[in-house]
Amino acid sequence: MGPFGSGSSSGSLGSAGPTNEPGPAEGFAPIDPDAPSDWAPAALVTTEIVPKPQTVVAAAGTVLSISGDPNASQVVVLAPGQAIPAVGGFLAVDVDQDAPDGALGRVQSTGQNPSGSSAVTITPARIDEAYEVFRVNETVTLDDAVRYDAGATDPNSRSGPSVGAKIKKNANVGMFECKSTAGLEFTVDFDFNTITTNIVFDAFAQYLRVTTEIAPQISAALKAAGATECTSRNSSMPSAWLPVAGPVGILFRPKVELKFDAELEVSAGLGVTGKRGIEISGARARAVSGVTPWTKELRTTLSGGASAFVGLEAPISLGGRASAGFSAGPRASFEASADGCVEAFGGVRINGFVEVDLFIANWRAQLDGIVVGTTSLTRACEDDPAPTTQPTTTPPPTTIPTEPDIVPGSLTGLQIDAMLRCRVDSPRDGRSVFYGNNSCGTHAAVNGVVFGGLVGSPWTPVSGPADSGAGTAADPRVVRTSVAAGESGVSLDQVDTFVENASSYATTITVRNTGSSAARVVLYRAADCYLSQSDFGIGELFPGAVSCTSPDGRRISWTDLSGGSARKEAFYATIWSDIEAGVAFDDTALADYHDNGAGLSWEIDVPAGGTAQIRSRFSLDEPLAAGTAQRQGRVPPAPTGTPDPPKPGAPVQR
């Protein structure tokens, strides 16, 4: 049955309504989500996470790959120059785009690749082994998703800066496991259009409370020739991975269960709004449930009976291991009587669990699917007169609009030159994603004087680019390049780490000031975009990220991994003009199609003899239906292997 088994919630298909529904488990009545809890520890107002001295937490953007089984053994590859835990110590990888499951383990061995990257082998560890304090009070939404699986027979996933995870689907029989499919036809359209989840968790106090506010709209057309049961396949349903805190994340995915007790045909639209969840303290577990405002419409009825659960399932993982979770959502039953009438009953089913020895030693609790708030929704009979007025509720749509699902792109052939100009290619385009192949680079304004490879005074090369590594997940390419800003005493050490055919690569820049006085530095990572063989696109801003989006929906993005950046997307010449003027970007983007560029800037004060480190990620995301790149814009596509045509205001290539 698994941690989200239906338990006692299945009830009887032939029941006449709420009298046969199970009550609260273990005698604990549901708690109002807005009421104070008598189970909660006092010190859970804010998040507080304190690793033990022997625990190393990998910095964002420094995890190059994670491979292996999180329940057995994993190898974590870290970028050069990172702190490596001692054997017997612990390594924690927080959930983010590079590591959507995170990782937490005891170090079994360490090794270094010739490129300078490190491979750390870990086995599973618990929170109480690796942390002194682990208290969490966080609220997350779908906008926080670091990975999204659209759900299909052959699922595709994406990783990118907040690309609009969608928990909705037009589901049919082929997406379900059924005991019998004879005479079975159905569609279930659902849309969890808003999901807001609050997670309150204290590992050492053995306390967990998860409350999710959802407003799903459901439209179902069910037809069966006899008794059967069907459960949705996880691989067919959309899923979204969200960070909670540290190596703890939550996975949202729908769970749909249908049961038929006889020949039946019924069509209905349902919706339920409210806050649902679980509260667990030690071995005690109870439901969290507010008032249930229903919208409903029973549209077509024949005979028989059925029940349907269309809920949101949310495993909570520790380093990729499902350690706790809950599921909640509307459960409806449809019952036909001999007089030709059909009645629909509705309630909310809630499950929850904490798994033994995963979060913390000897903590286990279970809440088997109870149903709360059951009520009679509607009754319809064959001889009922047609309504003379429009219904007061609006049924959900019978189909859900299809939007393109975003998947990771593929980047190849990263090149960094001695002036910190960059080129990276898209195999789909057959060329660089930057105008002129390498209209991309790192620039800096040092005490008001601009240095770079495209605008400003030229960098003074110091060393590199030095290229090492195989370009695989186990041994990524590492490109090291150092430059100086003239005689200012400021220099940059840039390290780019890259895996061939990955959707992104990371850049770490260490700013050094060997001068006798503090330096004011505005650092830039920017480019003139040329995606889908088009010089034109629109701009988009995401939390900590900025994108150039092409007419076919593909986009290249820069994401700040160290914090404190400003973003900008604009006419390409405006980007170079801002850099040449030494001004920081202003967190703006243009929504109309234009010849565009984009980037990030950081304002840094570096003391005499001091250093500062900046990390960022460049990524390519694209919709599944993007197809062959199509040119839109004034400049025709450049043939492969030839320079892009000149355009006014383009920076001079030195």
mmCIF file with all atom_site columns, all heavy atoms in Angstrom, residues 272-291:
data_model
loop_
_atom_site.group_PDB
_atom_site.id
_atom_site.type_symbol
_atom_site.label_atom_id
_atom_site.label_alt_id
_atom_site.label_comp_id
_atom_site.label_asym_id
_atom_site.label_entity_id
_atom_site.label_seq_id
_atom_site.pdbx_PDB_ins_code
_atom_site.Cartn_x
_atom_site.Cartn_y
_atom_site.Cartn_z
_atom_site.occupancy
_atom_site.B_iso_or_equiv
_atom_site.pdbx_formal_charge
_atom_site.auth_seq_id
_atom_site.auth_comp_id
_atom_site.auth_asym_id
_atom_site.auth_atom_id
_atom_site.pdbx_PDB_model_num
ATOM 1   N N   . VAL A 1 272 ? -13.181 22.252 -4.468 1.00 0.00 ? 272 VAL A N   1
ATOM 2   C CA  . VAL A 1 272 ? -13.165 22.418 -3.018 1.00 0.00 ? 272 VAL A CA  1
ATOM 3   C C   . VAL A 1 272 ? -11.996 23.320 -2.653 1.00 0.00 ? 272 VAL A C   1
ATOM 4   O O   . VAL A 1 272 ? -10.892 23.162 -3.166 1.00 0.00 ? 272 VAL A O   1
ATOM 5   C CB  . VAL A 1 272 ? -13.075 21.058 -2.288 1.00 0.00 ? 272 VAL A CB  1
ATOM 6   C CG1 . VAL A 1 272 ? -11.815 20.317 -2.698 1.00 0.00 ? 272 VAL A CG1 1
ATOM 7   C CG2 . VAL A 1 272 ? -13.139 21.230 -0.779 1.00 0.00 ? 272 VAL A CG2 1
ATOM 8   N N   . THR A 1 273 ? -12.257 24.284 -1.797 1.00 0.00 ? 273 THR A N   1
ATOM 9   C CA  . THR A 1 273 ? -11.238 25.243 -1.393 1.00 0.00 ? 273 THR A CA  1
ATOM 10  C C   . THR A 1 273 ? -11.010 25.128 0.103  1.00 0.00 ? 273 THR A C   1
ATOM 11  O O   . THR A 1 273 ? -11.963 24.975 0.865  1.00 0.00 ? 273 THR A O   1
ATOM 12  C CB  . THR A 1 273 ? -11.674 26.679 -1.732 1.00 0.00 ? 273 THR A CB  1
ATOM 13  O OG1 . THR A 1 273 ? -11.933 26.762 -3.132 1.00 0.00 ? 273 THR A OG1 1
ATOM 14  C CG2 . THR A 1 273 ? -10.596 27.686 -1.357 1.00 0.00 ? 273 THR A CG2 1
ATOM 15  N N   . GLY A 1 274 ? -9.758  25.213 0.528  1.00 0.00 ? 274 GLY A N   1
ATOM 16  C CA  . GLY A 1 274 ? -9.500  25.188 1.961  1.00 0.00 ? 274 GLY A CA  1
ATOM 17  C C   . GLY A 1 274 ? -8.077  24.788 2.274  1.00 0.00 ? 274 GLY A C   1
ATOM 18  O O   . GLY A 1 274 ? -7.281  24.475 1.389  1.00 0.00 ? 274 GLY A O   1
ATOM 19  N N   . LYS A 1 275 ? -7.751  24.805 3.559  1.00 0.00 ? 275 LYS A N   1
ATOM 20  C CA  . LYS A 1 275 ? -6.437  24.411 4.054  1.00 0.00 ? 275 LYS A CA  1
ATOM 21  C C   . LYS A 1 275 ? -6.529  23.005 4.611  1.00 0.00 ? 275 LYS A C   1
ATOM 22  O O   . LYS A 1 275 ? -7.417  22.702 5.412  1.00 0.00 ? 275 LYS A O   1
ATOM 23  C CB  . LYS A 1 275 ? -5.955  25.375 5.136  1.00 0.00 ? 275 LYS A CB  1
ATOM 24  C CG  . LYS A 1 275 ? -5.723  26.799 4.651  1.00 0.00 ? 275 LYS A CG  1
ATOM 25  C CD  . LYS A 1 275 ? -5.262  27.688 5.798  1.00 0.00 ? 275 LYS A CD  1
ATOM 26  C CE  . LYS A 1 275 ? -5.049  29.127 5.330  1.00 0.00 ? 275 LYS A CE  1
ATOM 27  N NZ  . LYS A 1 275 ? -4.620  30.000 6.452  1.00 0.00 ? 275 LYS A NZ  1
ATOM 28  N N   . ARG A 1 276 ? -5.600  22.155 4.201  1.00 0.00 ? 276 ARG A N   1
ATOM 29  C CA  . ARG A 1 276 ? -5.602  20.755 4.619  1.00 0.00 ? 276 ARG A CA  1
ATOM 30  C C   . ARG A 1 276 ? -4.181  20.342 4.980  1.00 0.00 ? 276 ARG A C   1
ATOM 31  O O   . ARG A 1 276 ? -3.216  20.884 4.462  1.00 0.00 ? 276 ARG A O   1
ATOM 32  C CB  . ARG A 1 276 ? -6.064  19.835 3.475  1.00 0.00 ? 276 ARG A CB  1
ATOM 33  C CG  . ARG A 1 276 ? -7.360  20.261 2.841  1.00 0.00 ? 276 ARG A CG  1
ATOM 34  C CD  . ARG A 1 276 ? -8.559  19.837 3.681  1.00 0.00 ? 276 ARG A CD  1
ATOM 35  N NE  . ARG A 1 276 ? -9.783  20.325 3.072  1.00 0.00 ? 276 ARG A NE  1
ATOM 36  C CZ  . ARG A 1 276 ? -10.456 21.400 3.492  1.00 0.00 ? 276 ARG A CZ  1
ATOM 37  N NH1 . ARG A 1 276 ? -10.005 22.085 4.525  1.00 0.00 ? 276 ARG A NH1 1
ATOM 38  N NH2 . ARG A 1 276 ? -11.559 21.772 2.892  1.00 0.00 ? 276 ARG A NH2 1
ATOM 39  N N   . GLY A 1 277 ? -4.063  19.345 5.843  1.00 0.00 ? 277 GLY A N   1
ATOM 40  C CA  . GLY A 1 277 ? -2.739  18.833 6.141  1.00 0.00 ? 277 GLY A CA  1
ATOM 41  C C   . GLY A 1 277 ? -2.729  17.891 7.310  1.00 0.00 ? 277 GLY A C   1
ATOM 42  O O   . GLY A 1 277 ? -3.755  17.296 7.680  1.00 0.00 ? 277 GLY A O   1
ATOM 43  N N   . ILE A 1 278 ? -1.536  17.744 7.898  1.00 0.00 ? 278 ILE A N   1
ATOM 44  C CA  . ILE A 1 278 ? -1.344  16.838 9.023  1.00 0.00 ? 278 ILE A CA  1
ATOM 45  C C   . ILE A 1 278 ? -0.562  17.543 10.114 1.00 0.00 ? 278 ILE A C   1
ATOM 46  O O   . ILE A 1 278 ? 0.155   18.513 9.866  1.00 0.00 ? 278 ILE A O   1
ATOM 47  C CB  . ILE A 1 278 ? -0.575  15.567 8.616  1.00 0.00 ? 278 ILE A CB  1
ATOM 48  C CG1 . ILE A 1 278 ? 0.807   15.947 8.053  1.00 0.00 ? 278 ILE A CG1 1
ATOM 49  C CG2 . ILE A 1 278 ? -1.358  14.723 7.651  1.00 0.00 ? 278 ILE A CG2 1
ATOM 50  C CD1 . ILE A 1 278 ? 1.802   14.810 8.013  1.00 0.00 ? 278 ILE A CD1 1
ATOM 51  N N   . GLU A 1 279 ? -0.695  17.030 11.331 1.00 0.00 ? 279 GLU A N   1
ATOM 52  C CA  . GLU A 1 279 ? 0.145   17.441 12.445 1.00 0.00 ? 279 GLU A CA  1
ATOM 53  C C   . GLU A 1 279 ? 0.594   16.175 13.160 1.00 0.00 ? 279 GLU A C   1
ATOM 54  O O   . GLU A 1 279 ? -0.227  15.319 13.505 1.00 0.00 ? 279 GLU A O   1
ATOM 55  C CB  . GLU A 1 279 ? -0.598  18.362 13.406 1.00 0.00 ? 279 GLU A CB  1
ATOM 56  C CG  . GLU A 1 279 ? 0.304   18.894 14.512 1.00 0.00 ? 279 GLU A CG  1
ATOM 57  C CD  . GLU A 1 279 ? -0.397  19.922 15.397 1.00 0.00 ? 279 GLU A CD  1
ATOM 58  O OE1 . GLU A 1 279 ? -1.605  19.771 15.632 1.00 0.00 ? 279 GLU A OE1 1
ATOM 59  O OE2 . GLU A 1 279 ? 0.274   20.860 15.851 1.00 0.00 ? 279 GLU A OE2 1
ATOM 60  N N   . ILE A 1 280 ? 1.919   16.053 13.360 1.00 0.00 ? 280 ILE A N   1
ATOM 61  C CA  . ILE A 1 280 ? 2.485   14.875 13.998 1.00 0.00 ? 280 ILE A CA  1
ATOM 62  C C   . ILE A 1 280 ? 3.394   15.333 15.122 1.00 0.00 ? 280 ILE A C   1
ATOM 63  O O   . ILE A 1 280 ? 4.270   16.191 14.931 1.00 0.00 ? 280 ILE A O   1
ATOM 64  C CB  . ILE A 1 280 ? 3.282   14.024 12.983 1.00 0.00 ? 280 ILE A CB  1
ATOM 65  C CG1 . ILE A 1 280 ? 2.337   13.455 11.921 1.00 0.00 ? 280 ILE A CG1 1
ATOM 66  C CG2 . ILE A 1 280 ? 4.040   12.900 13.680 1.00 0.00 ? 280 ILE A CG2 1
ATOM 67  C CD1 . ILE A 1 280 ? 3.042   12.720 10.794 1.00 0.00 ? 280 ILE A CD1 1
ATOM 68  N N   . SER A 1 281 ? 3.186   14.766 16.293 1.00 0.00 ? 281 SER A N   1
ATOM 69  C CA  . SER A 1 281 ? 4.029   15.038 17.449 1.00 0.00 ? 281 SER A CA  1
ATOM 70  C C   . SER A 1 281 ? 4.334   13.708 18.110 1.00 0.00 ? 281 SER A C   1
ATOM 71  O O   . SER A 1 281 ? 3.444   13.065 18.665 1.00 0.00 ? 281 SER A O   1
ATOM 72  C CB  . SER A 1 281 ? 3.311   15.971 18.437 1.00 0.00 ? 281 SER A CB  1
ATOM 73  O OG  . SER A 1 281 ? 4.111   16.195 19.587 1.00 0.00 ? 281 SER A OG  1
ATOM 74  N N   . GLY A 1 282 ? 5.609   13.292 18.020 1.00 0.00 ? 282 GLY A N   1
ATOM 75  C CA  . GLY A 1 282 ? 5.952   11.962 18.512 1.00 0.00 ? 282 GLY A CA  1
ATOM 76  C C   . GLY A 1 282 ? 5.172   10.913 17.744 1.00 0.00 ? 282 GLY A C   1
ATOM 77  O O   . GLY A 1 282 ? 5.196   10.872 16.522 1.00 0.00 ? 282 GLY A O   1
ATOM 78  N N   . ALA A 1 283 ? 4.439   10.078 18.464 1.00 0.00 ? 283 ALA A N   1
ATOM 79  C CA  . ALA A 1 283 ? 3.641   9.028  17.825 1.00 0.00 ? 283 ALA A CA  1
ATOM 80  C C   . ALA A 1 283 ? 2.213   9.472  17.544 1.00 0.00 ? 283 ALA A C   1
ATOM 81  O O   . ALA A 1 283 ? 1.426   8.713  16.983 1.00 0.00 ? 283 ALA A O   1
ATOM 82  C CB  . ALA A 1 283 ? 3.631   7.778  18.708 1.00 0.00 ? 283 ALA A CB  1
ATOM 83  N N   . ARG A 1 284 ? 1.859   10.688 17.939 1.00 0.00 ? 284 ARG A N   1
ATOM 84  C CA  . ARG A 1 284 ? 0.496   11.181 17.728 1.00 0.00 ? 284 ARG A CA  1
ATOM 85  C C   . ARG A 1 284 ? 0.366   11.800 16.336 1.00 0.00 ? 284 ARG A C   1
ATOM 86  O O   . ARG A 1 284 ? 1.289   12.444 15.853 1.00 0.00 ? 284 ARG A O   1
ATOM 87  C CB  . ARG A 1 284 ? 0.128   12.231 18.776 1.00 0.00 ? 284 ARG A CB  1
ATOM 88  C CG  . ARG A 1 284 ? 0.224   11.751 20.213 1.00 0.00 ? 284 ARG A CG  1
ATOM 89  C CD  . ARG A 1 284 ? -0.110  12.882 21.181 1.00 0.00 ? 284 ARG A CD  1
ATOM 90  N NE  . ARG A 1 284 ? 0.859   13.987 21.101 1.00 0.00 ? 284 ARG A NE  1
ATOM 91  C CZ  . ARG A 1 284 ? 0.761   15.110 21.818 1.00 0.00 ? 284 ARG A CZ  1
ATOM 92  N NH1 . ARG A 1 284 ? -0.267  15.291 22.645 1.00 0.00 ? 284 ARG A NH1 1
ATOM 93  N NH2 . ARG A 1 284 ? 1.673   16.057 21.707 1.00 0.00 ? 284 ARG A NH2 1
ATOM 94  N N   . ALA A 1 285 ? -0.773  11.615 15.713 1.00 0.00 ? 285 ALA A N   1
ATOM 95  C CA  . ALA A 1 285 ? -1.023  12.200 14.399 1.00 0.00 ? 285 ALA A CA  1
ATOM 96  C C   . ALA A 1 285 ? -2.482  12.602 14.302 1.00 0.00 ? 285 ALA A C   1
ATOM 97  O O   . ALA A 1 285 ? -3.368  11.880 14.776 1.00 0.00 ? 285 ALA A O   1
ATOM 98  C CB  . ALA A 1 285 ? -0.676  11.215 13.289 1.00 0.00 ? 285 ALA A CB  1
ATOM 99  N N   . ARG A 1 286 ? -2.742  13.751 13.710 1.00 0.00 ? 286 ARG A N   1
ATOM 100 C CA  . ARG A 1 286 ? -4.118  14.192 13.502 1.00 0.00 ? 286 ARG A CA  1
ATOM 101 C C   . ARG A 1 286 ? -4.192  15.024 12.237 1.00 0.00 ? 286 ARG A C   1
ATOM 102 O O   . ARG A 1 286 ? -3.193  15.552 11.742 1.00 0.00 ? 286 ARG A O   1
ATOM 103 C CB  . ARG A 1 286 ? -4.637  14.977 14.695 1.00 0.00 ? 286 ARG A CB  1
ATOM 104 C CG  . ARG A 1 286 ? -3.901  16.279 14.973 1.00 0.00 ? 286 ARG A CG  1
ATOM 105 C CD  . ARG A 1 286 ? -4.419  16.936 16.248 1.00 0.00 ? 286 ARG A CD  1
ATOM 106 N NE  . ARG A 1 286 ? -3.629  18.099 16.640 1.00 0.00 ? 286 ARG A NE  1
ATOM 107 C CZ  . ARG A 1 286 ? -3.796  18.765 17.781 1.00 0.00 ? 286 ARG A CZ  1
ATOM 108 N NH1 . ARG A 1 286 ? -4.737  18.378 18.646 1.00 0.00 ? 286 ARG A NH1 1
ATOM 109 N NH2 . ARG A 1 286 ? -3.041  19.803 18.068 1.00 0.00 ? 286 ARG A NH2 1
ATOM 110 N N   . ALA A 1 287 ? -5.394  15.123 11.734 1.00 0.00 ? 287 ALA A N   1
ATOM 111 C CA  . ALA A 1 287 ? -5.629  15.904 10.521 1.00 0.00 ? 287 ALA A CA  1
ATOM 112 C C   . ALA A 1 287 ? -5.722  17.388 10.852 1.00 0.00 ? 287 ALA A C   1
ATOM 113 O O   . ALA A 1 287 ? -6.134  17.780 11.949 1.00 0.00 ? 287 ALA A O   1
ATOM 114 C CB  . ALA A 1 287 ? -6.908  15.441 9.846  1.00 0.00 ? 287 ALA A CB  1
ATOM 115 N N   . VAL A 1 288 ? -5.332  18.205 9.882  1.00 0.00 ? 288 VAL A N   1
ATOM 116 C CA  . VAL A 1 288 ? -5.532  19.649 9.928  1.00 0.00 ? 288 VAL A CA  1
ATOM 117 C C   . VAL A 1 288 ? -6.500  19.973 8.803  1.00 0.00 ? 288 VAL A C   1
ATOM 118 O O   . VAL A 1 288 ? -6.227  19.690 7.636  1.00 0.00 ? 288 VAL A O   1
ATOM 119 C CB  . VAL A 1 288 ? -4.208  20.407 9.737  1.00 0.00 ? 288 VAL A CB  1
ATOM 120 C CG1 . VAL A 1 288 ? -4.450  21.911 9.728  1.00 0.00 ? 288 VAL A CG1 1
ATOM 121 C CG2 . VAL A 1 288 ? -3.211  20.023 10.818 1.00 0.00 ? 288 VAL A CG2 1
ATOM 122 N N   . SER A 1 289 ? -7.646  20.548 9.135  1.00 0.00 ? 289 SER A N   1
ATOM 123 C CA  . SER A 1 289 ? -8.662  20.766 8.111  1.00 0.00 ? 289 SER A CA  1
ATOM 124 C C   . SER A 1 289 ? -9.559  21.925 8.487  1.00 0.00 ? 289 SER A C   1
ATOM 125 O O   . SER A 1 289 ? -10.060 21.997 9.618  1.00 0.00 ? 289 SER A O   1
ATOM 126 C CB  . SER A 1 289 ? -9.515  19.507 7.924  1.00 0.00 ? 289 SER A CB  1
ATOM 127 O OG  . SER A 1 289 ? -10.436 19.680 6.876  1.00 0.00 ? 289 SER A OG  1
ATOM 128 N N   . GLY A 1 290 ? -9.756  22.828 7.535  1.00 0.00 ? 290 GLY A N   1
ATOM 129 C CA  . GLY A 1 290 ? -10.655 23.943 7.740  1.00 0.00 ? 290 GLY A CA  1
ATOM 130 C C   . GLY A 1 290 ? -12.013 23.678 7.124  1.00 0.00 ? 290 GLY A C   1
ATOM 131 O O   . GLY A 1 290 ? -12.337 22.573 6.687  1.00 0.00 ? 290 GLY A O   1
ATOM 132 N N   . VAL A 1 291 ? -12.827 24.703 7.067  1.00 0.00 ? 291 VAL A N   1
ATOM 133 C CA  . VAL A 1 291 ? -14.151 24.612 6.459  1.00 0.00 ? 291 VAL A CA  1
ATOM 134 C C   . VAL A 1 291 ? -13.991 24.293 4.980  1.00 0.00 ? 291 VAL A C   1
ATOM 135 O O   . VAL A 1 291 ? -13.038 24.716 4.327  1.00 0.00 ? 291 VAL A O   1
ATOM 136 C CB  . VAL A 1 291 ? -14.919 25.936 6.653  1.00 0.00 ? 291 VAL A CB  1
ATOM 137 C CG1 . VAL A 1 291 ? -16.275 25.882 5.976  1.00 0.00 ? 291 VAL A CG1 1
ATOM 138 C CG2 . VAL A 1 291 ? -15.059 26.238 8.136  1.00 0.00 ? 291 VAL A CG2 1
#
